Structure formats: structure tokens, C-alpha cells
Amino acid sequence: PAERAVMRALAVAGAVALGWAGVAQAACIEPPLANAARLHEFEMMMMDVSLRCTRMGVAMRPNYDGMVAAHHHVFDGAAQTLKVFFDRAGDVRHGSMYERYTTLIANHYGTGNTSLEACKVFDAVAAEVARTADGGKVLGAVALTMIPHPMLERETCPAGR
């Protein structure tokens, strides 16, 4: 059963990657789309980390929620940009390409290893980003540092670009 689940996950990942490549027409994505993907991936990564850290005894959820609330317009804008991009890929069975993409990101970061020390660092990052009301500049810089090449960019850009 576990092997079958892994095979299904790989098949879905392959299908989504092919869809991304088709939409991007084998070219690197434009910087605004790459930035939207980076911000969305950062938000998903932080959500997954906050859940793992909470289970480990580090109550990072308030800082994560504060970060999302403080920058909801930035995160919402990134999600909207991605939805428009994936809508061009056409409808697929059992949900949209955007939903599949978001699920792949959540699954990717949901399986990570987290230590108490890492939880404290991630909590401090979320707290600092939540405190900074600068139109998303610090958020963007942190996301760029932590996610230099988002999954969407890696899947749609030819090697070496």
C-alpha cells in the first residue's frame, strides 16, 4: 500500500510537471510569476513548519498567523497570479492545476525534518516578517533567501537557464 501511494504521488507529480512545461512552453517563467510562486511556496512551507513545530512544543502558529494576516494582500496577490497562470493550462479531472500544484508544495514541505532549534528559527522569522509593515519588502527578501528557485521555476525552466 505504501509503495502504491508513492507511485500515485509520482504519477501526479509527473502529470503536473508536464502541464507546467506545456504552459510555460519550455521557457523560463517571467520574474513576476517566479516571484508569485516563491511567495506562495514560502507561505506553504511556513504553514507546514508551523504545524510540525506546534506538535513538537514550539507554539509558532500565532507568529505564522500574524505573518499571513500582516501580508495577506501580498500572499493573496501571489495566489491570484498563480491561478491565472494555471487556468491557461486548461481544466483537468479531479481539480484544477493550481490545486494540484498547491498540494504538491504542501506535501513536499510537509514531510520535512524539523528540530527544536529549527522551529525557534522559523518562529523568529515569522515573527519578524509579521512585525514588518513595509508593503512586503522584507517578506519578499526573506522568501527569496529561503526559496531562491521555487518549484514552479525548477519544473518549467530548461536546465542551465
Side-chain angles (χ1 to χ4, degrees), residues 71-91:
H71 299 285
H72 68 89
H73 60 285
V74 177
F75 288 125
D76 291 350
Q80 187 58 38
T81 298
L82 290 167
K83 287 176 184 176
V84 168
F85 172 76
F86 283 115
D87 281 349
R88 288 187 279 152
D91 200 10

Side-chain angles (χ1 to χ4, degrees), residues 13-140:
V16 171
L18 287 174
W20 291 343
V23 172
Q25 300 175 353
C28 289
I29 58 178
E30 295 295 320
L33 182 59
N35 192 50
R38 177 178 299 107
L39 288 165
H40 187 65
E41 191 167 331
F42 174 75
E43 180 183 15
M44 298 295 296
M45 176 193 69
M46 293 297 283
M47 177 191 68
D48 284 344
V49 169
S50 74
L51 294 170
R52 280 197 313 274
C53 290
T54 298
R55 284 194 308 267
M56 295 176 69
V58 176
M60 118 172 231
R61 191 65 192 224
N63 286 329
Y64 167 77
D65 289 343
M67 178 188 76
V68 171
H71 299 285
H72 68 89
H73 60 285
V74 177
F75 288 125
D76 291 350
Q80 187 58 38
T81 298
L82 290 167
K83 287 176 184 176
V84 168
F85 172 76
F86 283 115
D87 281 349
R88 288 187 279 152
D91 200 10
V92 296
R93 293 182 188 180
H94 308 295
S96 72
M97 292 294 283
Y98 172 79
E99 290 167 349
R100 288 179 178 214
Y101 164 71
T102 298
T103 300
L104 284 173
I105 292 171
N107 288 342
H108 174 76
Y109 289 106
T111 60
N113 291 322
T114 306
S115 67
L116 287 175
E117 289 305 313
C119 287
K120 291 174 186 173
V121 170
F122 279 108
D123 188 39
V125 167
E128 186 59 33
V129 172
R131 275 192 292 273
T132 310
D134 63 354
K137 291 178 185 171
V138 168
L139 168 63

